[in-house]
Amino acid sequence: MENIYDINISADDAKAKLEELSFSNKTLKENANSIKYIYNEIQKNWEVSQESSDIASTLEEVDKCLTDINSVITPVLEEFKNTLEILILAHQETAQKEIDV
């Protein structure tokens, strides 16, 4: 009996987690936009060259992080949010039904 899973979920708890996830995802996007703005301002206002390799390498790493946030993390969170919404709807549709066996 090692593989016993409790699939009893509370739709209210799931909805609360969905709201938290939606808020966190929105905050992440806003923060990424702020970081991108700062990134652009640094590029625009500082002379970035190979001589200033600290600035150039920092900008390169920031750009990699922004790319990961926008192309990996945010889409995964959106898909998880969509899946959770589907799970909540399915739970609501089947929660009050009985099955004769």
Side-chain angles (χ1 to χ4, degrees), residues 9-67:
I9 64 167
S10 162
D12 291 334
D13 289 347
K15 286 179 187 177
K17 293 298 180 188
L18 179 61
E19 288 176 15
E20 287 178 29
L21 180 61
S22 295
F23 179 76
S24 295
N25 202 23
K26 179 179 178 263
T27 302
L28 177 63
K29 287 177 185 178
E30 289 170 353
N31 289 340
N33 287 336
S34 296
I35 293 169
K36 184 65 174 178
Y37 172 78
I38 294 167
Y39 171 90
N40 289 336
E41 290 298 303
I42 291 171
Q43 280 195 314
K44 184 170 62 174
N45 293 308
W46 279 354
E47 187 175 319
V48 179
S49 64
Q50 293 300 353
E51 295 84 45
S52 59
S53 62
D54 286 347
I55 295 171
S57 64
T58 298
L59 287 175
E60 186 178 319
E61 290 302 313
V62 168
D63 188 53
K64 287 179 188 176
C65 290
L66 289 170
T67 299

Side-chain angles (χ1 to χ4, degrees), residues 75-87:
V76 167
L77 290 175
E78 284 294 327
E79 188 62 31
F80 183 76
K81 186 176 77 74
N82 293 341
T83 302
L84 188 54
E85 288 172 338
I86 292 167
L87 180 63

